[in-house]
Amino acid sequence: MSADVWERSVVRVVPPLRPRKLAKVPFVELADGRLQGVVSSGSDIARVYVSSIATRTHGYSCGTNNNRPCGGLHGAPCKHLRALVDEAVLQYGLDRVARYLRVDVGEGEDLVSRLDGAPEPAPAAVVFSRFLRHLAYLELPDTTEPIAELHWFPATRAVG
Amino acid sequence: MLGVQLAALLDGEVPGVEETLDLVAGFDAALVHGFARLDEEQAGRLAAVAGALRDTPLGPAVGEAVEKITAGSIGDEHLGVLAGARTALFGAVHDARLGRLDAALGRSRASWEEPASAPAADGPLGASRSWLQELAITGWRGVDHDLVSASDQAISALLGESRLRRLAVLLDGLVAELRASCPVATMDHVPARRWADLWARALLLTQPGVQGVAEPVGVVSGRFLPLGVDVHEHGTAVQIQVHGVLEPADGSSARLMRTSVAATKVDTIVGPALWRLLDGYPALLRALAEHRSADLADVPLTAAGDLLWREDQATVGEPADPFATARLRLADALAPAVPPLERHPVRIAEPVLLEGYTINGDTLDLDGNTLAVDLDRLPGCGPLTPELVAASSACVGLLRWDGGRWLLQPLAVQATVKRKAVEAHGGDWALGPTDPKVVKAEARAGDAVAVLRERAGRLLRK
């Protein structure tokens, strides 16, 4: 952003997200000091895994929404965590995810292999409730009352 | 819009605008640092705002608020007054700019009529007000993850009340930007004006007695001829605002009107998928996609010229080419008044038709007068691209004003591509993309809306 952002009412502050398939990983976010999200179970449509990686320690965790630890965590990130990272890279771009996790990784390199954390507990319930809050936006009634405030938020073209 | 009209629009500064914007910039600088940490210079800038408004009805209240705040007593009633002061300054800039535009175009505009008093928005506003107060005390530079997360509960409470939707959508947009910028102390350039705009508007919407929704002043029937669609979007909201000309059934003169639909969403729903969120409005989407008029029967109308769309009171009508509508009806249609609290330059979005120009990069030249084209404002849910705009020879667009200059936001263009005449309108994909490449990409990505609705259905109601 250049210096004239100071004097403009309309400035793009949040970089646009790239579209991606949502079926496997319906929710990814860079928030609360973690790359965190929700991964749909491959075998049970009613089950999801809550997976997260901390930015500083790279400590990772994965478990079901009923707080059962993921069986795939054997001293290394499970397939859910790998899927989480892959989808985060699709959504935010490799640069932004790598910067957020504070790792150096070149284009085309595997981000997961650069993480040097160990399993560590994470507040899965918080992440899951953030996911539910996220989904709840799709359930709110729409409106034909004009929202004048949205003039500050023009739709723009996605990049890439 | 003719070359001479553009020349009249651009002809010199409007007296007082620059000075007013300087006052606003002073206010915004104080908000960057936080009202708890005002130094002498920043206190002086707030005092200048009070000085400029001294002889207005706001004068005494603003004087007292600035005095109290510089003395360290930052009560929410004083902050509300300051937000009002900044809004009044921008109201003056808005009026000056819109007045210049109307004069240049020869556009006549209805005068504002206060609607009969409607019930004020009521509900869980206190938590939002406190959070906005906390922001003002801390200043943008002091914003961290904890302060951002402190808004969660306030916003959740607002989302439950449809009458408070405007405030909820506004705060959600601001919070997402703050979250993405945390810690703000390390940001190179704080978007000071933008965030102060959002802060001030939000604080006004939390004031007791402020109306959250636009009350209809009557109903109207007639033929609505769309000119184009303006798309608004942030992570959790999308709004389409259709600009058009209404030919009232009672034979009265044609009027410039808008009609909007807004939905909440999530940040992973972007591009052409946005239209699927609005699938409850098939008649409106069809009128857009097929360039047709809509015949309206007794549709509520607000004092600000907004038709409150009612799907069951609208019938998709005859084909209606937006360029023909612009050529034939735009010059003499009556423009609507602007509600007092919405008078901010960001809301200026006046439909115009430009023809016979040349485009170089992001600058349009019409008879030697140049106008910036806002190429950032081409929505990803439609076919308009910078290349099409560059190849265009006619454009229906919105005139906007930001950063001290006029900008053209294209809504539709007629262009020549590979020696063939093509036309593209922002709403062309309202019923689904028509470009085979985009259709294919959409099919690959799968239906984001359907996937998330399924997840919501399964997980939210357990």
Side-chain angles (χ1 to χ4, degrees):
Chain A
M1 277 190 283
S2 65
D4 73 343
V5 300
W6 184 269
E7 294 188 340
R8 278 165 45 200
S9 288
V10 177
V11 179
R12 183 172 262 292
V13 178
V14 182
L17 297 189
R18 299 173 190 176
R20 63 177 182 87
K21 287 186 197 180
L22 299 177
K24 199 156 72 170
V25 184
F27 180 55
V28 173
E29 64 171 1
L30 307 173
D32 300 338
R34 286 181 298 275
L35 162 61
Q36 57 192 20
V38 168
V39 182
S40 295
S41 160
S43 53
D44 178 353
I45 51 169
R47 187 195 299 157
V48 294
Y49 289 85
V50 176
S51 311
S52 71
I53 300 169
T55 52
R56 279 167 205 280
T57 60
H58 296 165
Y60 51 84
S61 97
C62 184
T64 68
N65 47 329
N66 303 322
N67 274 326
R68 297 241 300 264
C70 170
L73 279 181
H74 301 294
C78 59
K79 62 178 183 181
H80 306 114
L81 281 160
R82 290 190 160 270
L84 179 76
V85 172
D86 289 346
E87 295 298 310
V89 167
L90 285 178
Q91 180 165 317
Y92 296 107
L94 180 63
D95 270 2
R96 197 166 154 203
V97 179
R99 215 175 330 123
Y100 190 78
L101 291 174
R102 296 168 207 201
V103 289
D104 287 321
V105 51
E107 199 63 48
E109 283 185 279
D110 180 30
L111 184 62
V112 176
S113 65
R114 297 299 176 100
L115 302 176
D116 48 7
E120 97 184 4
V126 175
V127 180
F128 190 65
S129 75
R130 287 180 63 88
F131 174 52
L132 294 184
R133 184 175 175 229
H134 180 81
L135 287 179
Y137 277 93
L138 297 174
E139 308 257 301
L140 293 170
D142 36 42
T143 176
T144 58
E145 309 269 0
I147 302 176
E149 289 66 32
L150 281 172
H151 281 274
W152 271 281
F153 299 92
T156 57
R157 304 189 73 73
V159 287
Chain B
M1 183 177 206
L2 307 173
V4 289
Q5 293 175 320
L6 181 56
L9 179 71
L10 303 174
D11 183 25
E13 261 306 305
V14 179
V17 167
E18 202 168 324
E19 292 83 348
T20 309
L21 291 176
D22 282 347
L23 288 170
V24 170
F27 180 100
D28 297 349
L31 204 53
V32 169
H33 288 266
F35 289 152
R37 275 186 290 271
L38 294 179
D39 60 22
E40 219 165 282
E41 189 197 337
Q42 286 147 3
R45 287 168 156 188
L46 287 188
V49 170
L53 292 166
R54 188 165 42 223
D55 296 331
T56 72
L58 278 174
V62 177
E64 189 196 340
V66 168
E67 206 173 290
K68 286 271 167 41
I69 284 171
T70 24
S73 152
I74 310 172
D76 72 0
E77 72 280 20
H78 298 134
L79 289 174
V81 170
L82 277 200
R86 188 182 181 281
T87 303
L89 292 174
F90 262 132
V93 175
H94 167 274
D95 292 0
R97 303 279 35 165
L98 190 62
R100 166 68 73 90
L101 186 146
D102 284 344
L105 290 176
R107 185 162 285 176
S108 37
R109 186 169 298 280
S111 49
W112 175 252
E113 281 169 44
E114 193 64 33
S117 74
D122 199 12
L125 293 170
S128 304
R129 207 158 47 228
S130 307
W131 183 72
L132 291 163
Q133 180 181 10
E134 216 39 59
L135 278 182
I137 291 170
T138 310
W140 303 122
R141 283 287 181 206
V143 171
D144 59 12
H145 280 293
D146 288 343
L147 181 48
V148 172
S149 300
S151 66
D152 285 356
Q153 272 191 325
I155 294 177
S156 293
L158 296 175
L159 285 168
E161 306 268 342
S162 60
R163 292 186 71 85
L164 303 176
R165 182 63 60 81
R166 282 172 62 183
L167 178 60
V169 164
L170 171 59
L171 287 180
D172 241 356
L174 173 60
V175 164
E177 294 187 3
L178 294 175
R179 181 168 277 135
S181 308
C182 266
V184 178
T186 62
M187 256 182 125
D188 289 340
H189 302 288
V190 174
R193 175 169 299 171
R194 173 178 179 79
W195 285 353
D197 277 355
L198 302 179
W199 174 85
R201 174 61 65 90
L203 198 55
L204 286 189
L205 288 176
T206 66
Q207 298 303 306
V210 168
Q211 270 179 257
V213 296
E215 286 299 323
V217 290
V219 295
V220 69
S221 300
R223 191 161 74 129
F224 182 66
L225 304 160
L227 287 163
V229 60
D230 180 22
V231 184
H232 306 149
E233 181 191 8
H234 66 47
T236 57
V238 58
Q239 172 168 262
I240 58 160
Q241 193 154 70
V242 184
H243 291 255
V245 174
L246 180 80
E247 295 175 336
D250 63 9
S252 58
S253 57
R255 299 168 72 174
L256 269 178
M257 297 252 141
R258 305 185 296 192
T259 191
S260 315
V261 183
T264 48
K265 68 174 194 84
V266 296
D267 54 2
T268 42
I269 298 174
V270 292
L274 289 177
W275 296 108
R276 258 168 273 165
L277 293 165
L278 309 174
D279 55 9
Y281 303 87
L284 181 60
L285 297 193
R286 196 173 145 224
L288 283 176
E290 298 179 0
H291 306 167
R292 288 173 181 274
S293 64
D295 296 316
L296 308 181
D298 293 332
V299 169
L301 169 74
T302 73
D306 289 290
L307 294 162
L308 302 183
W309 186 263
R310 297 285 182 268
E311 193 65 21
D312 52 358
Q313 286 157 248
T315 317
V316 180
E318 297 292 308
D321 171 20
F323 280 92
T325 301
R327 282 186 192 109
L328 298 172
R329 306 314 309 258
L330 207 44
D332 59 357
L334 178 68
V338 181
L341 279 180
E342 291 180 19
R343 290 159 48 244
H344 186 293
V346 83
R347 192 185 177 282
I348 296 177
E350 286 295 310
V352 289
L353 169 71
L354 287 124
E355 296 177 277
Y357 51 77
T358 54
I359 293 212
N360 185 4
D362 59 1
T363 306
L364 176 149
D365 186 307
L366 180 63
D367 301 346
N369 306 291
T370 58
L371 179 64
V373 184
D374 197 343
L375 296 176
D376 290 336
R377 220 164 173 147
L378 303 174
C381 62
L384 292 166
T385 59
E387 294 73 27
L388 271 176
V389 172
S392 72
S393 53
C395 174
V396 174
L398 297 177
L399 277 179
R400 292 191 171 270
W401 193 82
D402 191 23
R405 60 178 185 160
W406 288 100
L407 293 150
L408 177 71
Q409 172 190 352
L411 299 182
V413 295
Q414 291 176 328
T416 308
V417 177
K418 293 182 185 156
R419 294 192 206 148
K420 273 168 76 180
V422 294
E423 207 171 292
H425 299 254
D428 281 350
W429 297 352
L431 296 176
T434 52
D435 179 336
K437 266 190 285 186
V438 179
V439 174
K440 230 165 142 185
E442 284 289 288
R444 260 200 315 274
D447 188 339
V449 177
V451 167
L452 292 177
R453 280 180 178 160
E454 184 276 334
R455 292 282 77 183
R458 201 170 291 281
L459 298 168
L460 281 177
R461 278 172 284 282
K462 281 217 307 194

